[in-house]
C-alpha cells in the first residue's frame, strides 16, 4: 500500500500492516483530533470499512474498529458525536471513487470474523492508548495519572463535596482497578469513575464518590478527559497481562508517604472542626491499616 487519502481534518496513510491517521491542527479541527494528533491502527483492529454519503457534498469513509481493540473507543462507549469519531474520514464528493477504492482495500485486509459483535480482545488492546494528557481539571478536583501505575485525585477546596473533602486526596494503584467509567461532559452529569477490582460496584453518586471526579461547564472536556480515561484503561489491561515480579510489594498496601499525607490532611480537618473525634480516630485507623 503506502498511499494517502486526504480528507477534511485528517489524512489516512495506508501502510502494509496498519492504517495511520494523522489529524490536522487547524482551528476548525475538533479539539479531540488535535489532542490525538496521530493514531496507528493495525488492520487486525478493524471490523469493517463502510462508505456512506455525508453532508454538503461529501462522503464518509468509516473504518469500523473491532470491539475491544482500541482503549479510546472502549472508554467512549458509543458516546462520541459523529463529528468527533476518529475513525470517520470526511472526503469531498469528487474523491468518492478514490474513497470507494480504499474502502474495498480496507475490507480486503480485515481479518475474517472480526465483525462479530461478541468477538472481544481479551489479551490486550491492539491500538495504543493516546499519549496524553496525563492530567486534567475536573469540576471538583484535579485528576493526574503517572502513565503506568497510579491515578490521583486532588480535591478542590471550594468545589468538592464535604464527603470527598473529608476523605482527603485519593491515590489509586492501577493494579487495584478493574476499569473506568466515563460519562461525556457533553451530556448532563458527566464524570470519570475508577472501578475497583473485586467487590460490588460503587453506587454512590459521582459527586459523593471519592473514586470519581465530576465534570461541568469547561471542566473535564472530551479532549482532556477521554484520552486520560483511555490511558488509564490501557494501563489496567497491561497490568492484567503482566506477571507480578517475585519480591514485588503487595499492591494492597499504599505508599507510606501518601498515607502520611492523607493523615496530615485528616488532622487539619479535625482541628478545623469538620471531622469529629470519632470520625478522626476511625479514619486514621483505616489509613494506618493500608500500610
Amino acid at each position: 500500500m503506502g498511499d494517502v487519502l486526504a480528507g477534511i481534518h485528517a489524512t489516512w496513510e495506508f501502510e502494509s500492516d496498519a492504517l495511520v491517521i494523522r489529524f490536522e491542527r487547524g482551528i476548525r479541527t475538533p479539539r479531540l483530533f488535535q489532542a490525538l494528533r496521530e493514531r496507528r491502527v493495525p488492520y487486525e483492529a478493524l471490523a469493517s470499512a463502510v462508505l456512506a454519503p455525508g453532508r454538503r457534498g461529501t462522503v464518509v469513509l468509516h473504518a469500523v474498529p473491532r470491539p475491544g481493540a482500541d482503549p479510546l473507543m472502549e472508554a467512549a462507549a458509543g458516546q462520541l458525536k459523529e463529528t468527533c469519531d476518529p475513525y470517520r474520514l470526511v472526503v469531498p464528493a469528487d474523491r468518492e471513487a478514490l474513497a470507494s477504492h480504499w474502502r474495498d482495500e480496507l475490507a480486503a485486509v480485515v481479518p475474517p470474523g472480526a465483525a462479530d459483535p461478541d468477538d472481544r480482545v481479551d489479551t490486550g488492546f491492539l491500538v495504543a492508548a493516546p499519549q496524553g494528557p496525563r492530567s486534567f481539571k475536573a469540576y471538583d478536583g484535579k485528576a493526574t495519572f503517572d502513565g503506568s501505575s497510579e491515578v490521583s485525585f486532588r480535591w478542590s477546596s471550594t468545589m468538592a463535596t464535604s464527603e470527598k473533602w473529608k476523605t482527603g486526596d485519593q491515590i489509586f494503584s492501577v493494579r487495584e482497578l478493574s476499569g473506568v467509567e466515563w460519562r461525556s461532559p457533553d451530556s448532563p452529569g458527566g464524570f470519570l469513575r475508577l472501578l475497583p477490582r473485586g467487590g460490588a460496584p460503587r453506587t454512590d453518586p459521582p459527586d459523593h464518590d471519592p473514586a470519581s471526579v465530576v465534570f461541568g461547564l469547561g471542566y473535564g472536556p472530551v479532549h482532556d478527559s477521554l484520552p486520560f480515561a483511555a490511558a488509564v484503561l490501557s494501563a489496567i489491561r497491561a497490568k492484567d497481562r503482566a506477571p507480578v515480579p517475585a519480591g514485588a510489594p503487595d499492591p494492597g498496601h499504599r505508599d507510606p508517604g501518601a498515607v502520611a499525607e492523607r493523615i496530615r490532611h485528616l488532622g487539619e480537618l479535625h482541628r478545623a472542626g469538620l471531622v469529629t473525634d470519632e470520625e478522626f480516630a476511625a479514619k486514621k485507623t483505616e489509613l494506618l491499616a493500608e500500610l
Side-chain angles (χ1 to χ4, degrees), residues 189-237:
F191 63 88
L192 172 68
R193 190 195 304 266
L194 303 177
L195 305 178
R197 188 178 301 280
R202 298 186 70 97
T203 58
D204 301 340
D207 59 338
H208 295 285
D209 179 6
S212 304
V213 289
V214 299
F215 305 147
L217 185 62
Y219 294 95
V222 172
H223 66 275
D224 281 344
S225 61
L226 180 57
F228 182 100
V232 174
L233 187 59
S234 183
I236 292 171
R237 182 71 61 85

Side-chain angles (χ1 to χ4, degrees), residues 5 16 24 43 67 75 146 164 170 181 243 255 274 278:
L5 177 60
S16 60
E24 295 179 355
Y43 294 128
D146 68 1
K164 288 185 175 181
Q170 300 291 295
E181 183 182 4
D255 174 61
L274 298 175
E278 292 77 11

Side-chain angles (χ1 to χ4, degrees), residues 94-179:
D94 59 6
R95 299 181 193 170
E96 181 175 0
L98 185 58
S100 178
H101 166 73
W102 288 114
R103 184 270 317 273
D104 295 341
E105 290 291 323
L106 284 174
V109 296
V110 170
D116 183 351
D118 294 326
D119 187 13
R120 301 287 176 177
V121 179
D122 297 322
T123 57
F125 292 110
L126 297 173
V127 181
Q131 293 300 305
R134 293 291 184 243
S135 66
F136 69 90
K137 190 173 182 181
Y139 176 77
D140 57 356
K142 182 179 180 180
T144 303
F145 176 43
D146 68 1
S148 61
S149 59
E150 283 190 348
V151 182
S152 63
F153 293 160
R154 190 173 187 86
W155 305 123
S156 164
S157 60
T158 56
M159 302 298 188
T161 58
S162 59
E163 288 86 352
K164 288 185 175 181
W165 189 243
K166 286 181 179 180
T167 63
D169 297 335
Q170 300 291 295
I171 298 178
F172 303 89
S173 168
V174 168
R175 285 196 179 278
E176 297 174 358
L177 303 176
S178 64

